[in-house]
PDB file of all heavy atoms in Angstrom:
ATOM      1  N   LYS A 221      68.584-160.895-147.529  1.00  0.00           N
ATOM      2  CA  LYS A 221      68.793-160.225-146.254  1.00  0.00           C
ATOM      3  C   LYS A 221      70.147-159.549-146.181  1.00  0.00           C
ATOM      4  O   LYS A 221      71.115-160.019-146.766  1.00  0.00           O
ATOM      5  CB  LYS A 221      68.635-161.208-145.097  1.00  0.00           C
ATOM      6  CG  LYS A 221      69.603-162.380-145.151  1.00  0.00           C
ATOM      7  CD  LYS A 221      69.433-163.289-143.944  1.00  0.00           C
ATOM      8  CE  LYS A 221      70.317-164.518-144.109  1.00  0.00           C
ATOM      9  NZ  LYS A 221      70.145-165.510-143.077  1.00  0.00           N
ATOM     10  N   MET A 243      83.141-179.542-150.404  1.00  0.00           N
ATOM     11  CA  MET A 243      84.375-178.757-150.399  1.00  0.00           C
ATOM     12  C   MET A 243      85.511-179.662-149.955  1.00  0.00           C
ATOM     13  O   MET A 243      85.340-180.487-149.057  1.00  0.00           O
ATOM     14  CB  MET A 243      84.270-177.579-149.437  1.00  0.00           C
ATOM     15  CG  MET A 243      85.555-176.765-149.330  1.00  0.00           C
ATOM     16  SD  MET A 243      85.525-175.484-148.051  1.00  0.00           S
ATOM     17  CE  MET A 243      87.089-174.648-148.423  1.00  0.00           C
ATOM     18  N   GLY A 285      85.888-185.139-157.254  1.00  0.00           N
ATOM     19  CA  GLY A 285      84.487-184.831-156.916  1.00  0.00           C
ATOM     20  C   GLY A 285      83.731-184.327-158.133  1.00  0.00           C
ATOM     21  O   GLY A 285      82.572-184.693-158.364  1.00  0.00           O
ATOM     22  N   ARG A 315      89.405-180.232-168.954  1.00  0.00           N
ATOM     23  CA  ARG A 315      88.210-179.379-168.983  1.00  0.00           C
ATOM     24  C   ARG A 315      87.310-179.650-167.783  1.00  0.00           C
ATOM     25  O   ARG A 315      86.090-179.852-167.910  1.00  0.00           O
ATOM     26  CB  ARG A 315      87.442-179.556-170.293  1.00  0.00           C
ATOM     27  CG  ARG A 315      88.260-179.210-171.532  1.00  0.00           C
ATOM     28  CD  ARG A 315      88.475-177.709-171.682  1.00  0.00           C
ATOM     29  NE  ARG A 315      87.265-176.961-171.885  1.00  0.00           N
ATOM     30  CZ  ARG A 315      86.777-176.634-173.091  1.00  0.00           C
ATOM     31  NH1 ARG A 315      87.413-176.994-174.170  1.00  0.00           N
ATOM     32  NH2 ARG A 315      85.665-175.929-173.189  1.00  0.00           N
ATOM     33  N   THR A 330     106.666-167.912-147.962  1.00  0.00           N
ATOM     34  CA  THR A 330     105.684-167.800-146.886  1.00  0.00           C
ATOM     35  C   THR A 330     105.269-166.347-146.673  1.00  0.00           C
ATOM     36  O   THR A 330     104.106-166.057-146.419  1.00  0.00           O
ATOM     37  CB  THR A 330     106.267-168.392-145.588  1.00  0.00           C
ATOM     38  OG1 THR A 330     106.919-169.620-145.894  1.00  0.00           O
ATOM     39  CG2 THR A 330     105.191-168.623-144.556  1.00  0.00           C
ATOM     40  N   ASN A 348     101.842-175.626-166.388  1.00  0.00           N
ATOM     41  CA  ASN A 348     102.582-175.744-167.642  1.00  0.00           C
ATOM     42  C   ASN A 348     101.600-175.778-168.796  1.00  0.00           C
ATOM     43  O   ASN A 348     101.410-176.788-169.455  1.00  0.00           O
ATOM     44  CB  ASN A 348     103.465-177.007-167.641  1.00  0.00           C
ATOM     45  CG  ASN A 348     102.675-178.273-167.387  1.00  0.00           C
ATOM     46  OD1 ASN A 348     101.606-178.237-166.794  1.00  0.00           O
ATOM     47  ND2 ASN A 348     103.180-179.398-167.845  1.00  0.00           N
ATOM     48  N   LEU A 385      89.252-164.603-157.159  1.00  0.00           N
ATOM     49  CA  LEU A 385      90.522-164.101-156.639  1.00  0.00           C
ATOM     50  C   LEU A 385      90.237-162.935-155.709  1.00  0.00           C
ATOM     51  O   LEU A 385      89.820-161.860-156.149  1.00  0.00           O
ATOM     52  CB  LEU A 385      91.421-163.657-157.795  1.00  0.00           C
ATOM     53  CG  LEU A 385      92.818-163.189-157.419  1.00  0.00           C
ATOM     54  CD1 LEU A 385      93.678-164.346-156.930  1.00  0.00           C
ATOM     55  CD2 LEU A 385      93.499-162.504-158.608  1.00  0.00           C
ATOM     56  N   SER A 396      78.993-154.803-144.944  1.00  0.00           N
ATOM     57  CA  SER A 396      77.634-155.276-145.199  1.00  0.00           C
ATOM     58  C   SER A 396      77.491-155.765-146.641  1.00  0.00           C
ATOM     59  O   SER A 396      78.241-155.367-147.526  1.00  0.00           O
ATOM     60  CB  SER A 396      76.629-154.161-144.935  1.00  0.00           C
ATOM     61  OG  SER A 396      76.757-153.165-145.919  1.00  0.00           O
ATOM     62  N   GLY A 558      99.010-152.854-148.834  1.00  0.00           N
ATOM     63  CA  GLY A 558      97.739-152.227-149.164  1.00  0.00           C
ATOM     64  C   GLY A 558      97.946-150.829-149.717  1.00  0.00           C
ATOM     65  O   GLY A 558      98.965-150.184-149.454  1.00  0.00           O
TER      66      GLY A 558
END
Side-chain angles (χ1 to χ4, degrees):
Chain A
K221 59 178 174 185
M243 177 187 188
R315 300 287 296 266
T330 316
N348 56 336
L385 184 69
S396 70

